[in-house]
């Protein structure tokens, strides 16, 4: 019997061997180390360096592409400054937003270059257990990637208007307001703090509603009509609703929106950056690329990005201990492996955005030591030194903020919350002054004014809203919010406001998909921001001076904001008049009035000029005596 195979069989067998051995190798072949620098190579624009590096899959464990490879790129301007070490990240196939790929050889780093001219890049690529979490040059060199270098040219930005690439990166400069590095303009914000589940969006890959009946995934359907031809999408038209929502909010004149990037175990339980809810060491490349499309569009629409990194239900290990299970928290609140990786990944993927803050957590309950350690680690990761803030419960402000000021924790601001809008003004005055005394002037913003039930109410008339909540209880309206939250914060030296939507309304903090529910309030925000910018008010040099108009308790009867000997603003929530103590001032001052309800030009009132050296009467506004007016007293 002849057992020798025929030539045909041998040929087939050989083909099978070749396919079995070669095809997988080709599919999983490591990158050749080639580098492409692309994007708009212009000042302040997003520049992306893509390296063809080691092949990896999102769920790999040996090595884990997120923890065990440290890919950094040093970007240095030819002048020697700036000189940034930018953390990079695993980007699957380089087009994961569209392909949903979970594997590939693309590794990326983003730069938003401060200057025109020549830039040099140098790649550092190391490998070792948890090497990505180490800021030192540890780990084994990964060849042929480590040490690769090259240059590229950056030209001038061609942007203008609201696009933040026309103004540059917002920076903390030791004052109570951030300043654009390009234009030098100081920044004041107003916009949306809700919904906190903004990223719980059905068009994002890997996004699941754990509380489907109470908190379904968003469609952002009401804002589909606000998407414009030429705006970004992914996967053949996904993303239009959320992109449209950002267009709408930007179009109202507002300039900020906020969002949780991790809410597992929280009220929404539908947002996390991981491949799976409980796998905190492997990240979803396609989902995060899709987030990045939204954030990039926000920057182009003039929006400040408020990253809330966790919420009270998952910021420490209380919930897990009480339930007798593994907590949703990252390292029980400590800066361990999962928290370090979380901070690094967010900085690497989104730190190039020009206007943002890292908020350590919503209603944060970590210890002071944990907060200080987390802020320190973020600073070490973030080459751009974005503002770091923290938010806490209304009754815990002294408990949380005083130790942080005393510890010189490296925070640059605070995100305030109260239980009643009437407390907004006095609380901003307090923390502006307390942080100044401590030697670290904080960016003090009011991001959640009003009760949890109500916050910022819908506009009167929106879907029949008549000033009553879902229980039929009459509450304050948008007009009181304008008086006490918006102008109460700004006239106290606050850096701005964000509006939280209370749970007693249909369009609330968890399920809101229609920002038009507060259309009038956004208009009032725009009017306020326009006033400070158009009238060239030097707000960054001004302080709360309520005592000059007889308000020694900083209550809501009237507010004064002043740069002594130059400009005094007196806000009268219900019209009328006031005296102004100019006994320490010299010279003559022109008196004009601004309408916070309609905006427009300054108007003359009953008194046209006053002189320093004494207390003076500013007169009455031009009309609507019982409505709110802002008196502008400026040196002639």
């Amino acid at each position: 019997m002849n057992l020798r195979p025929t030539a045909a069989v041998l040929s087939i067998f050989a083909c099978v061997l070749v396919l079995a051995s070669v095809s997988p190798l080709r599919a999983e072949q490591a990158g050749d180390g080639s580098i492409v620098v692309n994007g708009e190579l212009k000042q302040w624009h997003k520049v992306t360096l893509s390296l063809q590096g080691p092949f990896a899959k999102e769920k790999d464990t040996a090595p884990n592409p997120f923890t065990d490879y440290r890919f950094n790129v040093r970007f240095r301007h030819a002048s020697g400054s700036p000189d940034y070490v930018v953390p990079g990240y695993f980007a699957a196939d380089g087009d994961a937003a569209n392909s949903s790929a979970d594997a590939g050889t693309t590794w990326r780093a983003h730069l938003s270059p401060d200057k025109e001219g020549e830039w040099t890049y140098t790649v550092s690529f190391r490998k070792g257990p948890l090497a990505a979490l180490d800021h030192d040059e540890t780990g084994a060199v990964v060849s042929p990637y480590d040490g690769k270098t090259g240059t590229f040219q950056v030209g001038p930005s061609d942007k203008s208007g609201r696009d933040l690439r026309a103004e540059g990166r917002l920076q903390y400069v030791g004052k109570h307001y951030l300043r654009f590095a390009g234009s030098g303009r100081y920044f004041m914000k107003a916009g949306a703090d809700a919904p906190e589940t903004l990223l719980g969006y059905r068009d994002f890959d890997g996004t699941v509603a754990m509380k489907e009946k109470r908190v379904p995934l968003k469609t952002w359907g009401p804002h589909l009509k606000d998407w414009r031809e030429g705006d970004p999408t992914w996967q053949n038209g996904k993303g239009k609703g959320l992109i449209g929502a950002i267009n709408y909010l930007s179009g109202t004149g507002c300039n900020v929106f906020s969002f949780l990037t991790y809410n597992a175990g929280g009220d929404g339980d539908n947002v996390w950056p991981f491949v799976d809810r409980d796998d905190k060491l492997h990240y979803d490349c396609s989902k995060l690329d899709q987030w990045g499309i939204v954030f990039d569009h926000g920057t182009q629409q003039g929006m400040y990005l408020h990253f809330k990194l966790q919420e009270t239900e998952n910021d420490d290990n209380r919930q897990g201990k009480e339930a007798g299970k593994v907590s949703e928290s990252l390292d029980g609140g400590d800066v361990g492996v999962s928290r370090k990786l979380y901070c690094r990944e967010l900085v690497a993927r989104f730190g190039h955005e020009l206007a943002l803050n890292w908020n350590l957590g919503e209603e944060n309950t970590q210890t002071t030591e944990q907060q200080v350690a987390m802020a320190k680690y973020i600073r070490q990761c973030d080459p751009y030194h974005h503002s770091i803030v923290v938010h806490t419960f209304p009754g815990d402000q002294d408990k949380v903020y005083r130790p942080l000021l005393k510890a010189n924790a490296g925070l640059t601001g605070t995100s305030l919350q109260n239980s009643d809008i009437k407390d907004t003004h006095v609380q901003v005055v307090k923390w502006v002054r307390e942080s100044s005394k401590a030697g670290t002037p904080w960016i003090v913003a009011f991001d959640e004014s009003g009760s949890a039930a109500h916050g910022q109410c819908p506009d009167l008339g929106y879907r029949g809203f008549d000033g009553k909540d879902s229980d039929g209880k009459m509450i304050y309206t948008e007009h009181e919010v304008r008086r006490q939250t918006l102008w109460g914060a700004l006239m106290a030296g606050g850096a701005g406001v964000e509006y939280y939507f209370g749970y007693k309304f249909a369009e609330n903090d968890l399920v809101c998909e229609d920002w038009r529910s507060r259309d009038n309030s956004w208009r009032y925000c725009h009017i306020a921001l326009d006033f400070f910018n158009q009238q060239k008010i030097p707000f960054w040099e001004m302080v709360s001076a309520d005592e000059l108009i007889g308000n020694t308790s900083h209550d809501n009867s009237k507010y004064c904001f002043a740069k002594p000997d130059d400009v005094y603003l007196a806000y009268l929530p219900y019209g009328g008049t006031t005296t102004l103590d100019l006994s320490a001032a010299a010279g003559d001052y022109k008196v004009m009035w601004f309408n916070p309800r309609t905006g427009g030009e300054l108007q003359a009132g009953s008194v046209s000029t006053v002189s320093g050296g004494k207390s003076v009467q500013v007169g009455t506004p031009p009309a609507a005596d019982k409505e709110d007016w802002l008196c502008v007293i400026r040196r002639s």
Side-chain angles (χ1 to χ4, degrees):
M1 181 176 181
N2 186 359
L3 298 178
R4 297 171 65 182
T6 65
V9 171
L10 283 172
S11 177
I12 293 171
F13 183 63
C15 289
V16 170
L17 285 177
V18 169
L19 290 171
S21 61
V22 174
S23 294
L25 286 176
R26 285 179 177 168
E28 300 186 4
Q29 186 174 350
D32 60 6
S34 60
I35 290 176
V36 174
V37 177
N38 59 14
E40 296 182 327
L41 302 185
K42 300 174 183 177
Q43 185 183 25
W44 304 121
H45 293 224
K46 178 183 177 181
V47 174
T48 298
L49 181 148
S50 298
L51 166 73
Q52 292 307 305
F55 176 86
K57 298 178 181 178
E58 286 177 346
K59 293 188 177 182
D60 280 352
T61 57
N64 179 329
F66 304 102
T67 60
D68 301 338
Y69 284 114
R70 184 175 66 254
F71 169 54
N72 290 338
V73 180
R74 181 182 181 185
F75 292 101
R76 185 174 183 268
H77 188 263
S79 66
S81 177
D83 187 346
Y84 293 133
V85 176
V86 175
Y89 63 93
F90 172 57
D93 69 347
D95 189 33
N98 291 298
S99 68
S100 295
D102 63 358
T105 60
T106 302
W107 300 74
R108 281 199 168 134
H110 302 299
L111 172 74
S112 44
D114 306 53
K115 293 180 179 179
E116 300 173 40
E118 183 176 275
W119 286 75
T120 300
Y121 65 81
T122 304
V123 170
S124 173
F125 213 119
R126 303 295 179 96
K127 177 181 178 182
L130 305 181
L133 312 183
D134 192 348
H135 294 297
D136 298 325
E137 287 297 312
T138 57
V141 167
V142 182
S143 296
Y145 318 115
D146 185 79
K148 282 189 169 289
T149 188
T151 62
F152 57 94
Q153 292 289 328
V154 170
S157 176
D158 57 353
K159 303 304 177 184
S160 61
R162 289 185 60 84
D163 194 320
L164 296 181
R165 294 173 295 180
E167 298 202 77
R169 185 177 297 107
L170 271 182
Q171 296 178 323
Y172 176 73
V173 292
K175 294 180 181 288
H176 294 293
Y177 301 89
L178 299 172
R179 186 179 67 189
F180 286 105
S183 67
R185 182 173 70 88
Y186 284 87
F187 178 73
M188 188 181 277
K189 73 174 183 178
D193 182 60
E196 66 178 33
T197 54
L198 182 140
L199 298 177
Y201 180 36
R202 73 176 184 183
D203 282 5
F204 290 138
D205 284 359
T207 302
V208 179
M210 301 299 291
K211 301 177 180 178
E212 176 65 32
K213 290 185 179 180
R214 180 167 172 254
V215 192
L217 293 183
K218 296 185 183 345
T219 67
W220 288 102
H223 289 292
L224 283 168
K225 61 185 177 183
D226 298 305
W227 184 86
R228 301 180 296 250
E229 196 64 36
D231 284 341
T233 61
W234 56 90
Q235 296 183 3
N236 297 316
K238 287 186 178 180
K240 290 183 178 181
L242 183 49
I243 295 295
I246 293 169
N247 288 345
Y248 161 76
L249 194 62
S250 172
T252 68
C254 288
N255 59 10
V256 62
F257 61 90
S258 74
F259 43 88
L260 283 163
T261 48
Y262 180 47
N263 69 3
D267 294 330
D269 207 352
N270 57 11
V271 177
W272 48 85
F274 322 123
V275 291
D276 293 306
R277 179 181 181 275
D278 300 320
D279 182 350
K280 301 171 187 131
L281 299 183
H282 297 90
Y283 282 70
D284 189 325
C285 293
S286 60
K287 178 196 295 186
L288 294 178
D289 278 1
Q290 291 158 5
W291 286 10
I293 291 171
V294 172
F295 298 153
D296 286 348
H297 187 69
T299 294
Q300 294 166 23
Q301 296 302 307
M303 306 303 281
Y304 182 95
L305 308 174
H306 183 161
F307 283 78
K308 294 186 286 191
L309 301 181
Q310 57 193 339
E311 60 181 325
T312 189
E313 290 85 358
N314 64 19
D315 61 21
D316 64 18
N317 206 33
R318 291 169 305 145
Q319 191 177 57
K321 288 178 179 178
E322 292 167 3
K325 63 179 182 179
V326 176
S327 172
E328 285 86 1
S329 73
L330 303 168
D331 306 305
D334 292 333
V335 180
V337 171
S338 62
R339 188 174 297 273
K340 285 181 177 180
L341 179 60
Y342 178 65
C343 293
R344 177 189 165 90
E345 285 290 321
L346 291 182
V347 170
R349 295 169 186 274
F350 311 124
H352 65 279
E353 304 292 359
L354 297 174
L356 65 85
N357 66 232
W358 308 114
N359 188 333
L360 299 185
E362 184 254 357
E363 294 177 339
N364 188 260
T365 63
Q366 289 171 281
T367 66
T368 300
E369 293 73 21
Q370 289 173 330
Q371 292 166 337
V372 171
M374 186 175 175
K376 180 180 179 181
Y377 191 78
I378 291 172
R379 285 198 309 277
Q380 290 173 328
C381 290
D382 184 358
Y384 307 110
H385 300 144
H386 291 292
S387 182
I388 301 174
V389 307
V390 67
H391 179 272
T392 193
F393 288 100
D396 286 352
Q397 290 182 12
D398 285 292
K399 174 184 173 183
V400 172
Y401 296 142
R402 288 192 184 282
L404 289 170
L405 283 172
K406 186 177 180 181
N408 191 22
L411 269 68
T412 51
T414 181
S415 174
L416 292 180
Q417 174 186 4
N418 61 23
S419 297
D420 196 322
I421 61 172
K422 69 179 178 59
D423 298 324
T424 302
H425 181 74
V426 67
Q427 289 175 346
V428 174
V429 169
K430 175 180 178 177
W431 293 112
V432 166
R433 292 183 175 179
E434 291 295 325
S435 63
S436 290
K437 288 179 187 176
T440 307
W442 271 355
I443 311 298
V444 180
F446 229 105
D447 296 331
E448 197 166 336
S449 179
S451 68
H454 301 128
Q456 165 62 53
C457 53
D459 290 344
L460 286 169
Y462 175 80
R463 295 185 180 177
F465 179 64
D466 60 358
K468 298 177 182 178
D469 65 18
S470 59
D471 294 331
K473 178 182 178 182
M474 180 64 72
I475 59 166
Y476 48 81
T477 67
E478 68 223 46
H479 303 296
E480 286 306 303
V481 172
R482 181 184 68 248
R483 294 178 175 109
Q484 298 187 40
T485 298
L486 176 60
W487 285 94
L490 300 184
M491 295 289 286
V497 298
E498 295 175 24
Y499 287 156
Y500 158 84
F501 305 163
Y503 66 81
K504 289 288 186 180
F505 305 117
E507 293 288 334
N508 61 47
D509 189 38
L510 294 178
V511 301
C512 175
E513 297 187 70
D514 187 3
W515 273 332
R516 279 189 174 81
S517 58
R518 276 78 176 175
D519 193 69
N520 287 339
S521 287
W522 308 138
R523 181 166 54 84
Y524 297 141
C525 287
H526 184 200
I527 288 169
L529 296 179
D530 260 10
F531 165 75
F532 284 97
N533 289 320
Q534 297 299 323
Q535 297 300 325
K536 295 181 170 53
I537 303 297
F539 56 86
W540 59 94
E541 297 177 335
M542 298 171 72
V543 296
S544 171
D546 292 343
E547 300 87 351
L548 296 181
I549 57 173
N551 182 6
T552 56
S553 62
H554 305 293
D555 61 30
N556 295 298
S557 58
K558 50 188 175 180
Y559 317 129
C560 183
F561 193 40
K563 179 183 178 183
D565 292 317
D566 183 18
V567 60
Y568 301 81
L569 305 180
Y571 180 84
L572 307 178
Y574 303 98
T577 188
T578 188
T579 58
L580 173 65
D581 184 359
L582 291 179
S583 57
D588 296 326
Y589 294 81
K590 186 175 182 179
V591 180
M592 298 292 285
W593 294 82
F594 178 74
N595 187 331
R597 290 157 279 116
T598 62
E601 298 298 320
L602 299 183
Q603 303 176 48
S606 63
V607 171
S608 58
T609 59
V610 294
S611 298
K614 58 187 176 182
S615 289
V616 300
Q617 287 283 341
V618 300
T620 55
D625 191 42
K626 295 187 182 298
E627 296 291 348
D628 54 329
W629 283 90
L630 180 71
C631 187
V632 182
I633 305 100
R634 202 161 201 171
R635 188 159 184 162
S636 299

